[in-house]
Amino acid sequence: MTEAAAERLASTLEQDRGKLLRFIRGRLRGRLQDQDPEDILSDVVLGLLERADLTAEVENLTAYLFTALSHRLSDLFRRRRDLPMPAEAPPEQAQP
């Protein structure tokens, strides 16, 4: 990633971090409580850093981040939905 691209990303994150985190928290709304909004944002930013060639092509980096976050959250919800449900406890274990 070029220095200019890194500065652009850092500036965008500094300016829009609060909005991005509020977006994540709003989408989670009590679901996936084991997921930290900061971690989700970090994962998306890391993915963007790994694909530095994309940064130069993106005109609106904030919009790109919101879209990437939306896709990441959809992936998390889909994975959670696809997990098998735990087997029902036998009656003698279910009662105290």
Side-chain angles (χ1 to χ4, degrees):
M1 176 174 271
T2 67
E3 189 175 325
E7 286 180 26
R8 180 175 172 221
L9 179 58
S11 174
T12 300
L13 286 171
E14 184 178 324
Q15 180 179 350
D16 296 324
R17 182 179 204 84
K19 287 190 265 186
L20 295 165
L21 290 171
R22 279 191 300 276
F23 174 76
I24 296 167
R25 287 184 190 109
R27 289 282 308 269
L28 291 177
R29 275 180 267 138
R31 298 176 288 182
L32 299 177
Q33 293 178 352
D34 61 326
Q35 296 291 322
D36 180 32
E38 290 278 350
D39 289 342
I40 295 169
L41 180 58
S42 295
D43 286 344
V44 169
V45 170
L46 180 61
L48 184 58
L49 289 171
E50 290 172 349
R51 294 290 319 266
D53 55 317
L54 288 178
T55 307
E57 298 174 20
V58 175
E59 288 183 33
N60 186 339
L61 198 50
T62 301
Y64 182 88
L65 285 167
F66 276 109
T67 301
L69 285 169
S70 179
H71 292 179
R72 176 73 174 128
L73 290 165
S74 294
D75 290 344
L76 289 171
F77 290 136
R78 189 176 311 111
R79 274 192 219 123
R80 187 61 48 102
R81 184 186 68 217
D82 291 342
L83 290 176
M85 295 297 291
E88 201 171 306
E92 62 273 1
Q93 290 180 352
Q95 298 176 3

